[in-house]
Amino acid sequence: NAGVMQNPRHLVRRRGQEARLRCSPMKGHSHVYWYRQLPEEGLKFMVYLQKENIIDESGMPKERFSAEFPKEGPSILRIQQVVRGDSAAYFCASSPGTSGGVYSYEQYFGPGTRLTVT
Amino acid sequence: DAKTTQPPSMDCAEGRAANLPCNHSTISGNEYVYWYRQIHSQGPQYIIHGLKNNETNEMASLIITEDRKSSTLILPHATLRDTAVYYCIVRGFMTTDSWGKLQFGAGTQVVVTP
């Protein structure tokens, strides 16, 4: 069973460009979470999504950042007009929701996307 | 707003048990204790979680005090590959506002030495 996949693993963007980060959850998982880890800092929650719904976006910056998890395909974290302060590691996690009739929401993380803004 | 307190660092000799403490004195009755670790710059790895009973799995044991205000993660036989930052996280049931997100604090940097 493949784990959470993220691509690209490394992304370099110039200031003002757009960054698109992709996350494919584990098979059978319907919940996706995005976290950001700035250099030398801890992990911070950004957004929690289920298929076609944003459940909690309390950690998302108010401007330039958006996330989606469509019915088909990976979850996308989009950063418009990137600035140097967006340079960070972005981690995606997924959880199953329900498994065997029991709600299970341990989060399993992907390897991350390292975004560098030049 | 981390709800947990952990020592910033600790060392452990290879092959010995590593006991990682965590204080969560404000934990409420509908909150679990979760442990994750992050090896170097990899994605965090789930270790174990519990509510009030002690738990054990293939990775570790979790001991929660009777008043639930503190817990200890035990790595029974530490190896060099256990060197990582270990995070203790309090997380609510799905009916609470905090249940979806994991709120990571600074964690404990564990260094296992030969």
Side-chain angles (χ1 to χ4, degrees), chain A residues 37-112:
Chain A
Q37 188 167 34
L38 294 167
E40 306 304 322
E41 293 190 19
L43 287 141
K44 301 295 183 186
F45 167 80
M46 299 181 76
V47 64
Y48 163 36
L49 310 103
Q50 295 179 22
K51 287 282 187 180
E52 299 184 282
N53 285 307
I54 296 175
I55 306 302
D56 181 355
E57 56 182 348
S58 59
M60 286 281 270
K62 299 300 181 188
E63 297 177 348
R64 302 187 296 107
F65 285 72
S66 62
E68 63 176 7
F69 187 18
K71 186 176 181 180
E72 301 292 337
S75 174
I76 306 289
L77 179 68
R78 182 182 177 205
I79 311 172
Q80 295 178 290
Q81 299 176 324
V82 296
V83 301
R84 287 214 172 112
D86 297 331
S87 295
Y90 292 83
F91 292 98
C92 166
S94 72
S95 65
T98 55
S99 176
V102 176
Y103 197 87
S104 171
Y105 53 99
E106 289 81 47
Q107 295 181 19
Y108 298 90
F109 284 77

Side-chain angles (χ1 to χ4, degrees), chain A residues 5-22:
Chain A
M5 293 191 291
Q6 292 188 247
N7 66 80
R9 296 290 304 276
H10 299 274
L11 181 62
V12 179
R13 285 287 178 265
R14 292 198 179 112
R15 281 179 296 171
Q17 291 185 320
E18 178 180 287
R20 282 186 179 237
L21 288 61
R22 295 174 181 76

Side-chain angles (χ1 to χ4, degrees), chain A residues 25-44:
Chain A
M26 290 178 67
K27 186 178 180 181
H29 286 195
S30 58
H31 299 233
V32 165
Y33 314 79
W34 286 92
Y35 294 81
R36 177 167 69 173
Q37 188 167 34
L38 294 167
E40 306 304 322
E41 293 190 19
L43 287 141
K44 301 295 183 186

Side-chain angles (χ1 to χ4, degrees), chain A residues 31 33 35 37 41-45 48 50 55-56 58-59 91 103 105-112 114, chain B residues 1 32 34 36 38 40-46 49 87 91-94 97 99-106:
Chain A
H31 299 233
Y33 314 79
Y35 294 81
Q37 188 167 34
E41 293 190 19
L43 287 141
K44 301 295 183 186
F45 167 80
Y48 163 36
Q50 295 179 22
I55 306 302
D56 181 355
S58 59
F91 292 98
Y103 197 87
Y105 53 99
E106 289 81 47
Q107 295 181 19
Y108 298 90
F109 284 77
R114 272 93 186 146
Chain B
D1 295 331
Y32 285 90
Y34 275 74
Y36 281 77
Q38 187 175 25
H40 193 42
S41 55
Q42 298 177 20
Q45 178 186 22
Y46 166 78
H49 75 281
Y87 299 98
R91 187 183 186 195
F93 285 175
M94 63 182 292
D97 291 339
W99 75 278
K101 66 186 76 171
L102 292 172
Q103 298 186 60
F104 290 85

